[in-house]
Amino acid sequence: MNTNEHEFAVPHFGQPIDRFVATISGEVYAAVHSASAIKSDKRAQLLAADYADPLKLRALAGQIKQHTLDHLDRYLPQAVASLERNGARVHCAADGEEARRIIGDLLQQRGAKTVVKSKSMATEEIHLNDYLATRGIESVETDLGEFILQIDGDTPSHIVTPVVHKNRRQIAQSFERHGLGAYNDEPETITRRARRFMRDRFLRADAGLTGANFLVAESGRLVLVTNEGNSRFSLSAPRLHIALVGIEKIVPADRDLGVFLNLLVRSATGQQFTAYTEFISGPRADGRPSGAEELHVVLLDNGRTDILGAEYREILRCIRCGACMNICPVYRQASGHAYRAVYPGPVGAVLTPLLAGEHFAQFADLPKACSVCGACGDACPVNIALPDLLLRLRDRAKRAHAALSARGTPPMGGFAAVATHPPLWRAALTASRLANRLPLDWLPVPPLRAWTRRRTLPEFRGGAFRQWFKQRGQQ
Amino acid sequence: MIVPADRATGKKVQLMATCLCDAFFDDVAKATVQVLEYLGCEVEFPEGQTCCGQPAFNAGDWSAARRMVRHAARQFTGSGPVVLPSGSCAAMLFHGASLAFEHEPDFATVSDLAGRTWEVLDFIVSGLGVKTWEGTCAKKIAFHSSCHLRGTGTPAAARQLLGSLRGLELVGHAEPEQCCGFGGTFSVAFPHVSANMGLLKLQNIRAAEPDLLVAADMSCLMHLRGLAEKQGHPLPVRHAIQVLRDALVAERKIHHE
C-alpha cells in the first residue's frame, strides 16, 4: 500500500500517535475537537429524534452489508453485468497501481489535459492526483475542503470533512498565498472565490472523476452523496466520467438505499439529507438526457479481497461516514494526520494495517492507539464491532512480534506468572506497601515515569482487604 | 458488549475484589461486602483470586490473558453469582474472555463463569431486585458512566440507586460518553493522549461543580483523582458502592467497621 507522502516520520521512541499529540498545535486540537464534538452530538440527537429505535436500523444496515460481503461472489458479477447493461464500461483493478494506470490510459487516449474531481477517498487511497500529474494531466479538486488541501499541498485528515484540522483564518491565509484574493476569512468570501476559480476549470475540463458511496448490484446505479454540488458539475460538464469504486461499496438492490442513505447522512454530518444525492444510471443515452457521453467504472480491490477472506471481514461493511472518528477520544486529541494513512480514527486503525498486507507491522501501532472505550462501536451505523477488531489486531501484532505495537506496553508475562500463583500474588501485595516509602516519581522505571509525570499514585494498601475479611470471619 | 442473558443469581455470592481493590482500594471491597450482607447475602471470598486478565488482554497478550482467566475460573467454581465492584473487570469476564477463548477447547468453562458474573450495582438491582436505596446523602454528585458499562444494566442501576438517596443531586457534565483516558497499559504507552483525555474529562466534570465524583470503576477514578492531585486541585472521588454503604452507616442500619 502507498502510504501518505505527507505523513510524519515514525519517531525513534514512544508510540507514534502519542508523540504526534505531544507536539500538536493548540489551533489544530481546538478545530478538530470542537468539530468532532458538534458532529457527534448532532448525529446522536437526530437519530434519536427521527427513529423510535435507531439501534434496530443500524442492525439491519449491518446485516445487509454483511450479507452482501458474504455473497460478494454473486453480487460483484451482478453489479458488473448491470453496469454494462446500462452502457457503462467496467474495469477491474487489482491494486492501486493498476487503477492509476487504467485511469491514466483512459484520459490520455482521449487527449484529456484537465480533469475535475469530486471528493473520493478511493482516489486518495491510490494517490491518483500525483500520478496524473506525472502524465501531464491537471486534476482539480472541486470539493471545497479538498481544494484547500490541494493548493496547500496538504492531505485530508478526515474522510468526510477533509480540512477539519484547519480553521478559517488558516484557510484565508492559504487563499491569499495562492493568489485567490487579499486576506478575507469570511466563509462566504472564501466560498465565492473558490467557486470563481473552479467554474473556469469545470468549463474546460475534459473529464470528471468521482468515487461512489454506493453501487447497486441489481440496477447498476452509482450513488453519490455530496453537499456542495461540485459532483453534479463534475458529471455534467465533461464528456467523460470515470468513477473509482471500491468493491465493498456494493449493495444488493435500490430498496436498500433507503436504509443506507438515511443512516449515512445522519451519521456523517448530522443532516437528514445532503444537498445533493446523485443517482447515475449510465451514460447519456436515448431517454437519459443528462450525464457524460462516456461512463467508465473502475472497480478497486487493493487489498479488499484479502480482508474479505479473513476474520476481519466486517470492517468492509464501513460506509465511510466518519462517526467512529468523530466520537473517538483519541482521534479528538490526535487529529487524522496522526494516523499516517488515508483512513484515520478507529476505522483507519483497523483498515490501514490490514490494507498494508505484508507491511502490517509498519502500522501495528494503530490498533494500540485506543483506550478500548467502545464509543466507536456504539456510533457505527453498520454495527461494526470496532473495539473487538482493534483488540484482535493487537493479539495478531503480538503474535507477529511487531515491535511498533509493543512500544511502551509493559510485558505481561511476569504479571501473569504472579497472577496465576496465589502465594506469589499475596507476597507481592504485602511487598507493594514498601512502595509508599519510595520516591516513585524518581525511579527510572519507564511505565512508572510515564504514569507519574502527569498523575499521582494512590497509597498502596496491598492485602488490607484480605486482612479485614479474615479478621471479621474469626470474630 | 456481550452480556449473557439469564445470569445466575441468588444470595450465596462469591466476591471478586479486583486487583485494584486488592492493592489500593480496600474500602471499596469492604463496602461491597457490607452492602451485600445488609441485603442478606452470604459473601465468600476465594483466597486464591488475583486478576481478571484484562491488563494482558488489552495489551494484546492474549496468551497471558487466557492463563489469568483460566486461573480465575479455577478459583470461582460453583453455580452462584460472582460479584465485582468493577464494570470493567466484569466486562472482561463476560465479553473479553469470550473473544480470547473463541477458538479454545475450554470456551465452555469460561462462558460458564461469564454467565455468573455481575457488576455489583447491576447485581443489586437486576439480580436481587432492589429498586431503591434508603438514606440521605446531601451532596451534588457527578456520575462518570465508565466505558465498559456500555450495553450493561449498571448505568441505569447506578442512577436508580443513587437517585433515590434523599438530598442527593446528580449533576450531568459535558461530553459524558467520553473516556477518562485510563485504558490500562494505554495510560503508560500513550501518556500524552491518556493524560489529555483525562484532563478534558476533569475539566468537563469540574464545570458541573460537583461535591463528589462517583463511578462504578476504581480504574477511572484512580486516573482522574491522580491527575487532579498532580494538578494541585484534588477532586474527591468515591465508588458508588461506598456511597450506598455510607448511607446505611449514616442511617445506623449497619455499623462502620
Side-chain angles (χ1 to χ4, degrees), chain B residues 179-181 193-203 223-224 227:
Chain B
C179 173
C180 76
V193 187
S194 163
N196 289 359
M197 282 161 65
L199 292 173
L200 175 65
K201 187 91 206 166
L202 268 183
Q203 187 189 320
H223 191 231
L224 292 171
L227 284 162

Side-chain angles (χ1 to χ4, degrees), chain B residues 14 26 43 56 61 64 80 101 117 127 131 168 175-176 207 211 216 218 228:
Chain B
Q14 288 176 311
D26 50 306
V43 181
D61 191 343
F101 280 79
T117 300
K131 301 295 174 212
L168 188 145
E175 303 181 76
D211 302 319
M218 287 318 291

Side-chain angles (χ1 to χ4, degrees), chain A residues 50-365:
Chain A
D50 289 354
Y51 296 100
D53 191 352
L55 295 180
K56 245 187 202 158
L57 188 63
R58 78 171 193 146
L60 175 64
Q63 281 163 6
I64 296 172
K65 267 273 170 161
Q66 189 65 36
H67 163 85
T68 317
L69 294 168
D70 292 346
H71 300 91
L72 204 59
D73 55 336
R74 171 149 58 88
Y75 286 114
L76 185 57
Q78 192 191 5
V80 171
S82 303
L83 284 165
E84 286 175 343
R85 191 180 62 233
N86 292 348
R89 289 282 311 279
V90 182
H91 311 261
C92 293
D95 55 23
E97 196 183 326
E98 193 177 0
R100 288 195 298 267
R101 191 175 43 71
I102 291 168
I103 295 170
D105 288 351
L106 284 170
L107 293 170
Q108 207 154 40
Q109 282 156 13
R110 286 154 186 79
K113 289 278 169 245
T114 302
V115 301
V116 280
K117 212 176 137 284
S118 69
K119 198 177 120 33
S120 145
M121 291 313 292
T123 62
E124 294 287 344
E125 186 182 320
I126 67 165
H127 304 280
L128 185 60
N129 286 351
D130 293 341
Y131 171 79
L132 292 180
T134 67
R135 294 187 67 162
I137 299 163
E138 182 199 20
S139 171
V140 182
E141 293 288 352
T142 61
D143 173 86
L144 179 57
E146 293 282 353
F147 174 73
I148 293 161
L149 297 174
Q150 192 174 35
I151 64 175
D152 273 354
D154 199 355
T155 55
S157 75
H158 189 283
I159 60 173
V160 174
T161 50
V163 73
V164 66
H165 58 287
K166 288 188 199 294
N167 61 34
R168 64 183 191 180
R169 286 179 297 282
Q170 293 167 308
I171 293 166
Q173 284 158 6
S174 303
F175 270 49
E176 191 178 22
R177 262 200 312 276
H178 205 68
L180 292 170
Y183 180 93
N184 186 323
D185 62 12
E186 287 167 9
E188 294 77 9
T189 308
I190 291 171
T191 312
R192 202 176 311 115
R193 286 172 175 176
R195 187 181 289 162
R196 197 183 309 137
F197 177 89
M198 279 175 210
R199 184 131 310 178
D200 162 67
R201 303 301 193 279
F202 280 126
L203 290 174
R204 61 186 170 83
D206 304 301
L209 278 174
T210 70
N213 292 94
F214 303 101
L215 166 56
V216 182
E218 193 182 66
S219 65
R221 268 197 186 91
L222 289 167
V223 183
L224 290 177
V225 180
T226 71
N227 263 323
E228 297 172 20
N230 57 314
S231 64
R232 186 160 289 183
F233 271 115
S234 305
L235 297 176
S236 51
R239 304 172 120 188
L240 170 66
H241 172 201
I242 304 173
L244 178 67
V245 185
I247 55 171
E248 82 285 10
K249 297 286 182 182
I250 295 175
V251 295
D254 283 338
R255 66 166 184 275
D256 301 318
L257 294 173
V259 174
F260 289 109
L261 288 172
N262 276 306
L263 273 173
L264 171 63
V265 182
R266 283 176 177 81
S267 303
T269 50
Q271 293 170 285
Q272 280 177 317
F273 239 74
T274 45
Y276 297 87
T277 307
E278 317 284 350
F279 298 90
I280 301 151
S281 313
R284 196 177 302 177
D286 285 343
R288 204 190 289 135
S290 64
E293 287 168 22
E294 235 187 308
L295 170 63
H296 291 261
V297 177
V298 181
L299 293 172
L300 178 69
D301 184 335
N302 206 26
R304 287 160 171 78
T305 46
D306 292 339
I307 300 176
L308 199 61
E311 56 183 323
Y312 308 100
R313 177 183 286 184
E314 68 177 279
I315 196 62
L316 294 177
R317 289 186 212 157
C318 174
I319 54 173
R320 306 284 191 269
C321 70
C324 63
M325 53 199 79
N326 297 339
I327 201 143
C328 173
V330 176
Y331 168 86
R332 286 184 183 187
Q333 296 291 339
S335 83
H337 285 159
Y339 292 78
R340 313 197 303 282
V342 172
Y343 302 105
V347 66
V350 175
L351 260 184
T352 304
L354 291 175
L355 288 175
E358 62 188 47
H359 303 296
F360 172 82
Q362 288 177 23
F363 298 99
D365 60 308

Side-chain angles (χ1 to χ4, degrees), chain B residues 8 21 39 59 87 89 92 108 155 227 250:
Chain B
C21 292
L39 295 172
C89 306
M92 172 63 201
L227 284 162

Side-chain angles (χ1 to χ4, degrees), chain A residues 373 394 419 455 461 472, chain B residues 26 37 50 58 150 194 230:
Chain A
C373 82
R394 294 178 184 194
R455 319 120 167 140
R461 296 178 54 82
R472 66 201 291 274
Chain B
D26 50 306
E37 286 183 346
T50 58
N58 283 359
R150 292 170 196 280
S194 163
K230 196 83 176 183

